[in-house]
Amino acid sequence: GSPRISRGEPVLAVSNPSRPLSVPSVPEEGVPPRGRRRWEFVIAGSLFLLLGLWFALAMGTSHLRQIRAGGFVAVSAVVIDARVAEWGSRPRNFGPAITYRYRIDGVEHTADRYQFSGEGWRSREAAAATVARYPVGATVTAYADPSDPANAVLNIARPGGTGIGALILLVYLAFALLVIRHGWRRKG
């Protein structure tokens, strides 16, 4: 007959008592065992997420400062230096490097900010066209912060292209969250 099993004893079911039990296979090298989190994905996704959030903060701050500059007061300024600046390696970025002097309440200030956001152009020609509008010695209109007169800009136009930049950033952040989710989920 069949063996008697008392309560509390473990039961081992063997389909064929003449064949030995097989030991579960060891996972191949480089393949994570089932039921474990993939920490490399969690860490990589977290780094992507932090980088995306840092970029969002930087982009948002500069755009908000540029919008706030619309409330600055117009002052007469004299251009003392104007040239095209170049930075970065691949791709190269170009932008206006314009230094100007202005007076507020009898105090002379010097500034070199063209605008708060989007100062880099991919084309030297585009930057040169902007610099050409500010020849050395010319009297131009600058815009100074009434609460901090040493803070001024030449361009107070609202930033453009923020919608597509925000969409790209949202896709990037969603990708980072998916990578984290992939690593966090237990396989099996």
Side-chain angles (χ1 to χ4, degrees):
S2 62
R4 294 194 144 230
I5 301 171
S6 63
R7 289 184 186 250
E9 288 184 29
V11 177
L12 181 61
V14 178
S15 61
N16 185 352
S18 64
R19 290 178 60 200
L21 292 173
S22 64
V23 177
S25 64
V26 177
E28 295 177 34
E29 188 174 318
V31 177
R34 294 170 63 86
R36 295 201 176 201
R37 290 194 170 98
R38 308 262 328 251
W39 290 106
E40 64 273 17
F41 282 96
V42 174
I43 292 168
S46 297
L47 291 174
F48 285 145
L49 185 64
L50 287 174
L51 181 65
L53 291 174
W54 176 82
F55 185 73
L57 180 66
M59 185 175 79
T61 301
S62 69
H63 277 66
L64 288 174
R65 289 179 74 194
Q66 183 67 25
I67 291 167
R68 188 176 161 266
F72 286 8
V73 295
V75 295
S76 180
V78 175
V79 177
I80 55 177
D81 185 37
R83 59 189 168 74
V84 174
E86 186 174 331
W87 64 91
S89 58
R90 289 191 184 127
R92 303 292 294 167
N93 286 304
F94 305 94
I98 304 165
T99 306
Y100 46 97
R101 190 172 290 130
Y102 58 97
R103 259 183 208 284
I104 293 182
D105 297 330
V107 178
E108 187 172 86
H109 300 278
T110 302
D112 61 2
R113 183 178 303 279
Y114 175 68
Q115 63 189 20
F116 287 109
S117 65
E119 288 192 42
W121 286 276
R122 297 278 183 238
S123 136
R124 177 183 287 280
E125 293 75 25
T130 299
V131 170
R133 295 194 325 251
Y134 299 94
V136 173
T139 299
V140 297
T141 301
Y143 300 88
D145 185 345
S147 63
D148 180 12
N151 187 22
V153 296
L154 292 173
N155 180 19
I156 59 170
R158 287 186 173 257
T162 55
I164 195 75
L167 181 63
I168 291 169
L169 184 61
L170 285 174
V171 168
Y172 178 85
L173 292 173
F175 172 75
L177 290 172
L178 285 173
V179 170
I180 293 169
R181 182 176 179 263
H182 175 74
W184 193 257
R185 287 180 43 192
R186 291 184 185 273
K187 299 290 180 186

